[in-house]
Amino acid sequence: MTTYVITVPGTFLRAVPHGLRSGIERRLRPSDPRNTDLGENEELSLLTVDEGGMFAARVEVDAADSTGAEAEAVRVVARALRDSGLSEQDAPLGEAIVTGIDSDL
């Protein structure tokens, strides 16, 4: 298994209060990329949101390959959004991308 840092972009289609953002971050915290050397060195934020509602969630996942890592990251972010009360229509996600690989190889 390899540890990947994956960025999952999305857009909040309605205003998201600060308290809701904090709840999303709390749910994502177990997957915080700062647990990796890359995340710590690059000071990656778990969740960034711009004024237009576009956001990027950066999570750490373990997977056998990048395709599996991207799919798992989307599941993690989608679950955090859903558990925070946002539907797929409220916050659609874009294509996940590999931000970094933290491997002992």
Side-chain angles (χ1 to χ4, degrees):
M1 284 290 190
T2 300
T3 300
Y4 291 85
V5 176
I6 306 292
T7 299
V8 181
T11 304
F12 293 122
L13 297 179
R14 62 179 174 97
V16 177
H18 181 72
L20 185 57
R21 287 185 200 175
S22 296
I24 295 166
E25 287 180 329
R26 187 175 51 256
R27 287 173 175 84
L28 291 173
R29 186 69 54 210
S31 301
D32 192 338
R34 287 187 186 247
N35 296 326
T36 66
D37 289 338
L38 174 75
E40 185 177 329
N41 292 338
E42 298 296 323
E43 298 181 12
L44 295 177
S45 298
L46 184 59
L47 180 68
T48 55
V49 182
D50 74 14
E51 290 185 28
M54 293 175 59
F55 67 87
R58 291 169 194 85
V59 296
E60 168 192 336
V61 296
D62 291 323
D65 58 32
S66 61
T67 301
E70 291 167 349
E72 178 61 17
V74 168
R75 282 191 290 276
V76 167
V77 173
R79 183 175 44 244
L81 293 169
R82 185 178 57 251
D83 291 351
S84 297
L86 296 169
S87 70
E88 291 179 31
Q89 291 74 29
D90 293 328
L93 300 177
E95 293 281 326
I97 56 169
V98 174
T99 304
I101 300 172
D102 193 18
S103 176
D104 293 332
L105 299 177

